[in-house]
Amino acid sequence: MQVPDRNLNELREHGFTIVPGFLAPEELKAAQEALWEQHVHPGGYECFGYPRPAEYFADPSAHQEYAASQFAGSRMAPWQSWDLNRLAFHPDLVDLAERFLGSADLHLYDADLWAKYAGAIDYEQPHHRDFINHTLVVPRRDDPGRQLRSYILLSDIDEDDGPTKIVPLAAGAERPYWPTDKLHGWENFAGGTGLELGAFADVEVSVTGPAGSLFAFRTDILHRGSNMTGVRRARFVLEVNYEVWGSRWTGRTEWPVHSQNPHWTETMERATPRERELFGFPSVGDPYWDDQTLADVQCRYPSMDMAPYTDQASR
Ligand SMILES: O=C(O)CCC(=O)C(=O)O
């Protein structure tokens, strides 16, 4: 669904918004089924789906990898299915990013799936702001909305499923971007904010909602991951980050590094020229396109429809 203006206003004023029913039921169902898919590709390249919750909880000791760290269930795109990959550039997410960032020249600068299983590890985090690993510097206070973070919830999340805890912008505004004292260890998580555990307990908002909801937030907002307190609960989110192309000091990933993943080829082949551009693929009309590049890119992406680029190159 198109994100209503009132959610966009919330994002601007409070630093976050939650949009229930963002995904259509069939999009959600296809993405949920795809979470468990596994593929072994020619050459032995394996794409692992996640264990279904019933499978995981039947024997957590068989899935020790999820106990290694809070982030052990995080997997960067491209993933094992088009039904997941396409959500990273869902038209209504791109539309929200364009409206929030005020530009159509968008860079999809990171996309990850993140699975958490109750009891695997303590998922609690200190409060932090995410710009710490999305920029080399800090957001401008007079123009902070230069990056948009989002989670598409692929499972229902209630209070017992380790919801993200958000501190509305006004409540956290007085806290400095950067601590003045040197912090160590866990206190230094995500750059450290010097905040005592339990701070903001009276104003924090839990990001709960049915699967298919969208949670969008800014990189300058204080928040934290919380532990999963329910029994046999599993939480799945698809995380996507957008910014406007341009700044040399922001971002998180270089897509060419991931372009040998077999699902990259399919993703590029099935995406539209506009969707490919979000990853940095040359636009229709870019001087990059000529007879040689058209032919060689077609070899790299055999099922890609090159006509939009060809028409331009032959003008
Ligand atoms: O998983 C969550 O709910 C939030 C995680 C988070 O804030 C982080 O890892 O930076």
Side-chain angles (χ1 to χ4, degrees):
M1 66 179 262
Q2 188 181 36
V3 174
D5 280 340
R6 70 167 180 288
N7 292 93
L8 182 60
N9 293 337
E10 263 177 24
L11 192 55
R12 292 197 174 118
E13 284 167 30
H14 304 301
F16 73 101
T17 192
I18 303 169
V19 188
F22 174 74
L23 290 186
E26 61 280 6
E27 291 173 323
L28 172 62
K29 191 162 177 286
Q32 287 175 321
E33 277 307 309
L35 288 171
W36 334 121
E37 273 181 36
Q38 317 245 95
H39 301 282
V40 180
H41 296 273
Y45 190 103
E46 291 180 87
C47 291
F48 288 103
Y50 292 111
R52 290 174 190 266
E55 183 191 335
Y56 176 90
F57 290 110
D59 184 7
S61 68
H63 305 282
Q64 275 302 308
E65 65 271 26
Y66 293 97
S69 96
Q70 291 190 348
F71 305 99
S74 178
R75 311 256 167 87
M76 180 170 277
W79 308 290
Q80 59 270 20
S81 164
W82 169 251
D83 291 320
L84 290 167
N85 291 318
R86 66 175 288 272
L87 298 188
F89 42 86
H90 189 289
D92 294 317
L93 182 57
V94 175
D95 173 69
L96 174 67
E98 283 185 5
R99 286 151 69 207
F100 178 66
L101 298 170
S103 172
D105 190 23
L106 293 183
H107 177 200
L108 196 177
Y109 72 90
D110 188 26
D112 303 88
L113 278 171
W114 195 355
K116 297 183 179 182
Y117 295 90
I121 195 165
D122 185 351
Y123 291 102
E124 196 75 36
Q125 295 177 342
H127 288 99
H128 59 278
R129 296 182 175 98
D130 280 344
F131 71 74
I132 179 76
N133 52 10
H134 293 242
T135 173
L136 299 179
V137 285
V138 301
R140 286 183 63 127
R141 292 222 184 226
D142 63 354
D143 184 21
R146 308 308 303 160
Q147 293 179 306
L148 177 67
R149 304 253 296 114
S150 67
Y151 285 9
I152 298 175
L153 311 193
L154 295 181
S155 56
D156 297 340
I157 299 186
D158 71 21
E159 208 47 61
D160 299 324
D161 296 300
T164 314
K165 303 275 185 169
I166 286 276
V167 180
L169 214 48
E174 293 304 307
R175 299 298 184 128
Y177 270 177
W178 212 262
T180 46
D181 298 326
K182 199 98 195 101
L183 301 171
H184 300 284
W186 191 229
E187 276 193 316
N188 194 33
F189 178 89
T193 46
L195 289 170
E196 57 287 2
L197 284 177
F200 301 115
D202 48 340
V203 291
E204 274 183 339
V205 177
S206 294
V207 179
T208 56
S213 302
L214 175 74
F215 162 47
F217 59 115
R218 295 168 24 173
T219 57
D220 60 334
I221 190 146
L222 280 171
H223 67 287
R224 65 185 172 94
S226 72
N227 196 21
M228 302 183 74
T229 52
V231 177
R232 298 170 73 92
R233 300 296 184 98
R235 188 190 100 146
F236 301 92
V237 300
L238 189 148
E239 192 178 341
V240 193
N241 301 312
Y242 278 96
E243 63 183 6
V244 178
W245 284 102
S247 300
R248 282 183 256 175
W249 47 87
T250 59
R252 265 172 77 78
T253 193
E254 297 291 344
W255 291 115
V257 175
H258 305 278
S259 67
Q260 284 178 291
N261 177 319
H263 295 285
W264 175 266
T265 307
E266 185 201 20
T267 304
M268 286 298 105
E269 287 176 341
R270 295 181 69 170
T272 64
R274 161 72 178 134
E275 291 164 350
R276 291 177 200 133
E277 274 174 33
L278 300 168
F279 294 86
F281 203 89
S283 308
V284 169
D286 193 283
Y288 165 79
W289 296 112
D290 64 12
D291 290 346
Q292 175 260 312
T293 57
L294 281 166
D296 286 339
V297 172
Q298 181 79 88
C299 289
R300 182 167 183 175
Y301 298 101
S303 298
M304 186 175 283
D305 175 10
M306 302 306 290
Y309 307 105
T310 309
D311 293 349
Q312 169 62 35
S314 59
R315 250 182 249 157

